[in-house]
Amino acid sequence: MRKFNSSMFMQWVVFMPLLLPLAIVSGAFEGVKRVFEQASSDISDIVEKEIIS
């Protein structure tokens, strides 16, 4: 069995509260950006179909 590494544990304790919210915010931002890109693509497709019809 491996020995408990207290230094590594302290790094996780210190940096996890910083990294986790950053990852959540980054993921949420990417999701919102993707939704708006898809919505604008869908709207432009609808507009093009209406112009052609």
Side-chain angles (χ1 to χ4, degrees):
M1 189 168 172
R2 295 181 65 175
K3 183 181 174 186
F4 180 73
N5 190 346
S6 61
S7 173
M8 183 66 74
F9 177 75
M10 287 308 296
Q11 287 177 354
W12 276 104
V13 167
V14 170
F15 289 113
M16 184 57 81
L18 301 174
L19 294 176
L20 188 60
L22 183 63
I24 292 170
V25 168
S26 175
F29 180 72
E30 288 295 321
V32 168
K33 191 169 80 169
R34 184 175 298 155
V35 165
F36 279 110
E37 288 175 355
Q38 185 65 43
S40 65
S41 174
D42 291 345
I43 290 170
S44 66
D45 289 346
I46 291 171
V47 168
E48 287 177 8
K49 287 180 183 177
E50 291 292 327
I51 292 173
I52 293 172
S53 299

